[in-house]
Amino acid sequence: MDFSLLLVLAVAITGIVWLLDIVWWRRARRARLATAESQVDGELDAATRGKLAKEPWPVDYARSFFPVLLIVLVLRSFVVEPFQIPSGSMRPTLKVGDFILVNKFTYGLRLPVINTEILDLGEPERGDIMVFRFPDDPSVNFIKRVVGLPGDRIRYEDKQLYVNGQPVAKSVTDDDADDAPGERQFEERLGGVAHAIYNNPQDPGPQMREVVVPDGQYFMMGDNRDHSNDSRYWGFVPEENIVGEAFAVWMHWDGGLPSFSSVRLLE
């Protein structure tokens, strides 16, 4: 089940229980206490008073957890959300096991679960690393680089990316990548952003004739160009599927001890 949905439900349930206690159950406890005090001479002993005034355990838990859950929901929905990289499609920029932070307001504020935009704060730009809901299965989050904006003409042939008929500049930076033998690392300049990509000369890779990006949609590609399930295979990403812009790696964990040596801002 979608974690955002679970979080929204938890906030709603704890908030409702706490509100019911404020407007109804708390008054009933106080009334029972006042009635008991009126039936005895003097004051009730502390144990009896505590028992009559004690909050039921659901109310106690709701009062304790609601503020925490609400803060987490607001931060996660409108400020920043953590994600873990599950595949190598964005190598060498992101590796399997990297934990990233995603800015949730770069492209506008969206309601949790339904993902409806309520405040427009900006649009994706070429070169951005973007998290989005996979169009074929919105319950799954993908992360790729924005390559094509609405109206752009995109082509990919012989391991060369073309945007609006112009080849995107790239240059070799490593003839044999350390973590990917046989692959060559390039520096590509896309939309003013210089970033690393992988290409394997021995792998024919995908070919794609020119397509035009429709209005309100985006063309996404992974930096590991020969091994990325991206828009070359399944098409465009609608604007309503956007989750946010990835801006930092804060931890790496691949099953051993967590490592913080790779903490960095992303380009």
Side-chain angles (χ1 to χ4, degrees), residues 23-252:
V23 301
W24 186 16
W25 297 330
R26 184 181 301 176
R27 293 180 181 179
R29 291 196 301 275
R30 289 174 177 171
R32 288 197 302 269
L33 180 60
T35 299
E37 288 178 334
S38 67
Q39 294 175 349
V40 299
D41 294 330
E43 294 184 352
L44 292 172
D45 61 89
T48 303
R49 288 180 60 84
K51 184 177 180 180
L52 291 173
K54 183 180 180 181
E55 294 177 339
W57 68 265
V59 173
D60 185 33
Y61 276 96
R63 180 174 53 80
S64 300
F65 285 109
F66 174 74
V68 177
L69 292 172
L70 181 61
I71 291 172
V72 172
L73 177 63
V74 171
L75 291 177
R76 189 178 184 274
S77 300
F78 304 118
V79 183
V80 65
E81 182 176 359
F83 286 88
Q84 182 182 13
I85 301 302
S87 73
S89 68
M90 281 297 292
R91 293 170 53 247
T93 306
L94 296 170
K95 299 180 180 180
V96 177
D98 279 348
F99 284 73
I100 63 170
L101 296 176
V102 173
N103 187 324
K104 299 300 291 288
F105 58 84
T106 300
Y107 307 132
L109 298 181
R110 298 173 181 272
L111 293 175
V113 183
I114 59 176
N115 212 40
T116 300
E117 185 177 74
I118 56 175
L119 181 62
D120 185 8
L121 296 175
E123 301 292 338
E125 299 180 357
R126 288 191 202 93
D128 288 357
I129 300 176
M130 190 168 79
V131 174
F132 55 93
R133 297 176 186 269
F134 182 40
D136 291 344
D137 183 1
S139 67
V140 177
N141 291 312
F142 270 29
I143 181 169
K144 308 291 179 186
R145 194 176 293 274
V146 178
V147 168
L149 305 179
D152 281 348
R153 294 178 288 113
I154 306 297
R155 177 162 57 99
Y156 189 79
E157 293 181 356
D158 300 324
K159 303 187 185 297
Q160 176 63 55
L161 173 64
Y162 297 83
V163 177
N164 296 324
Q166 299 298 316
V168 175
K170 68 176 186 178
S171 57
V172 177
T173 57
D174 193 340
D175 287 336
D176 190 11
D178 292 337
D179 61 347
E183 292 185 332
R184 302 179 73 184
Q185 182 171 313
F186 296 79
E187 181 183 80
E188 183 180 76
R189 291 192 169 272
L190 182 64
V193 176
H195 62 97
I197 64 170
Y198 275 161
N199 274 141
N200 189 339
Q202 307 304 318
D203 188 337
Q207 306 289 322
M208 190 192 75
R209 59 185 178 180
E210 187 172 274
V211 297
V212 179
V213 184
D215 289 342
Q217 302 194 46
Y218 298 89
F219 192 94
M220 312 297 297
M221 290 179 67
D223 291 346
N224 192 359
R225 292 292 164 79
D226 298 317
H227 304 285
S228 172
N229 180 23
D230 53 37
S231 289
R232 292 171 292 179
Y233 299 96
W234 40 256
F236 309 102
V237 175
E239 187 272 341
E240 59 265 23
N241 284 46
I242 293 175
V243 173
E245 181 186 12
F247 69 92
V249 175
W250 65 276
M251 185 181 74
H252 179 83

